[in-house]
Amino acid sequence: YSSAASDVYKRQAYRESGRASFYADKFQLRRTANGELYKHELHTAAHKTLPFGTFVKVSNVVNGKSVIVRINDRGPFIRGRIIDLSKSAFSSIGNLASGILKVEIEVIE
């Protein structure tokens, strides 16, 4: 992504609402789109368009809990989902058994 694209996100106080899911166990220690190894215990996430390295506040709209994650992967590729969270990030704002959370995401400067 060009710096011009990342500047657009920064200027606009980017927000998005939708559903969040989390990475399945089979992705542990696999490479993410930016080349890092995915680790459940790190607070990272996948987003379709936000630049790698962007920090995002993810808030559970039901219970008000939030977590800050760093974008290091692309996805999710399932309709209706806006972000895939690492397992630890997801569990810090919701119950893993639910599988999906209603969230609002906001880019952090």
Side-chain angles (χ1 to χ4, degrees):
Y1 286 90
S2 71
S3 63
S6 99
D7 289 345
V8 169
Y9 286 115
K10 288 177 183 171
R11 282 197 307 272
Q12 292 180 344
Y14 181 84
R15 288 176 182 250
E16 188 178 3
S17 296
R19 293 186 175 146
S21 49
F22 64 90
Y23 283 78
D25 289 339
K26 70 180 182 179
F27 293 105
Q28 178 73 349
L29 300 178
R30 287 199 190 171
R31 294 244 175 244
T32 62
N34 79 346
E36 295 176 16
L37 291 180
Y38 167 74
K39 296 179 183 174
H40 287 316
E41 65 273 12
L42 300 179
H43 284 186
T44 57
H47 188 273
K48 291 178 186 91
T49 58
L50 288 172
F52 295 140
T54 301
F55 286 91
V56 178
K57 179 181 177 183
V58 182
S59 301
N60 179 331
V61 299
V62 174
N63 66 17
K65 292 181 179 180
S66 63
V67 64
I68 295 183
V69 296
R70 182 176 50 85
I71 303 299
N72 72 340
D73 204 5
R74 291 289 168 236
F77 301 109
I78 296 174
R79 196 167 147 222
R81 297 189 195 173
I82 62 168
I83 196 164
D84 265 338
L85 301 173
S86 67
K87 210 169 187 179
S88 64
F90 188 100
S91 66
S92 71
I93 63 170
N95 185 338
L96 290 173
S98 68
I100 294 176
L101 300 173
K102 287 185 180 181
V103 297
E104 181 173 283
I105 66 173
E106 176 184 1
V107 169
I108 303 295
E109 300 262 349

